[in-house]
Amino acid sequence: MALLDMVAAERRRFADLIDPLTPEQLDTPSLCGEWTVREVLGHVVSPFAARRSWFLPLLLRSRFSLHRANAELARMVARRPVAELTAELRRNARNPFAPPVVGQLGQLTDLQVHAQDVRRPLGLAYAVEPEHVRTSLDFLVSRRSVAFGGGRRRGLRFAATDLDWAWGDGPEVRGTAEAIMMALTGRTVVLPELTGDGAAVLRKRSAR
């Protein structure tokens, strides 16, 4: 399956996840920092919904911190009606947008992780697509994933219990593919779901 096909499918799935949510659900804190579910949507749609004229003022206000500028951009985009944003995401499902360094692999991973950032606090069922999550796991253990916190994996072996996927050498960390993906991107909420001798090591690293 082509990478852009996976990205397009995840953009549509994300829109489908958001559309039926109530205002209360949209204002629920996500697993992603201080963002609400609504603001996570703003972040996911921002490559297509943000105006170019916003970027320089945002960078200046954030003192050229891309992280802070990106966070504020998500909040600005999230002020638009949710239905407009999900429609924008569907219209751009096959948009070849690729961030620097991480490219479309980063896009695919970002979409899958943020979907879980939304569904876990809301208690919603949202299964990962095996081929998609396998592709993201391969990316997360590669050198290109530095922006996703690659230092957590050093000296550990990760093994998915629901997928034929494993990587690394050292004390083993076992769990579902989704939980491993979330742990590799710093979501500490999944740590109790992981087992193996390496799980304690990973918990100590994540607590720093």
Side-chain angles (χ1 to χ4, degrees):
M1 190 175 187
L3 183 54
L4 183 55
D5 291 335
M6 296 186 201
V7 170
E10 290 298 335
R11 285 173 179 157
R12 294 186 186 107
R13 290 186 78 212
F14 195 92
D16 291 344
L17 173 65
I18 295 294
D19 270 339
L21 299 183
T22 65
E24 292 77 15
Q25 288 175 312
L26 289 165
D27 291 333
T28 298
S30 75
L31 296 185
C32 191
E34 298 178 356
W35 284 345
T36 63
V37 168
R38 188 188 307 270
E39 288 163 347
V40 173
L41 171 63
H43 165 69
V44 169
V45 186
S46 61
F48 322 117
R51 298 174 184 173
R52 291 186 179 182
S53 60
W54 294 352
F55 289 101
L56 183 56
L58 278 173
L59 278 173
L60 291 173
R61 287 203 300 272
S62 65
R63 298 183 180 181
F64 293 94
S65 165
L66 290 175
H67 177 74
R68 287 197 296 270
N70 185 47
E72 182 57 28
L73 180 63
R75 296 186 184 100
M76 291 172 67
V77 172
R79 293 171 191 149
R80 288 177 54 184
V82 167
E84 288 184 13
L85 295 178
T86 55
E88 191 80 51
L89 193 55
R90 289 190 179 93
R91 276 195 298 273
N92 286 276
R94 295 194 62 80
N95 189 307
F97 168 75
V101 183
V102 297
Q104 287 185 352
L105 285 168
Q107 266 287 279
L108 177 66
T109 304
D110 201 53
L111 285 158
Q112 292 187 90
V113 169
H114 285 317
Q116 302 302 324
D117 285 339
V118 166
R119 78 92 183 162
R120 276 178 169 268
L122 296 178
L124 300 176
Y126 191 83
V128 294
E129 292 289 337
E131 185 177 359
H132 299 186
V133 74
R134 185 197 306 276
T135 301
S136 284
L137 288 173
D138 287 339
F139 163 71
L140 287 169
V141 296
S142 73
R143 293 182 179 180
R144 289 183 66 184
S145 69
V146 59
F148 287 78
R152 298 181 187 89
R153 65 178 186 260
R154 187 180 65 255
L156 296 174
R157 174 179 169 80
F158 293 86
T161 55
D162 58 344
L163 199 66
D164 184 18
W165 182 90
W167 176 90
D169 294 301
E172 190 169 76
V173 179
R174 292 187 299 275
T176 65
E178 183 259 345
I180 291 174
M181 177 180 70
M182 298 297 281
L184 287 172
T185 53
R187 273 59 175 180
T188 56
V189 70
V190 303
L191 295 179
E193 301 172 23
L194 303 174
T195 60
D197 294 340
V201 178
L202 186 59
R203 282 193 286 272
K204 287 181 182 177
R205 290 177 182 175
S206 299
R208 292 173 188 169

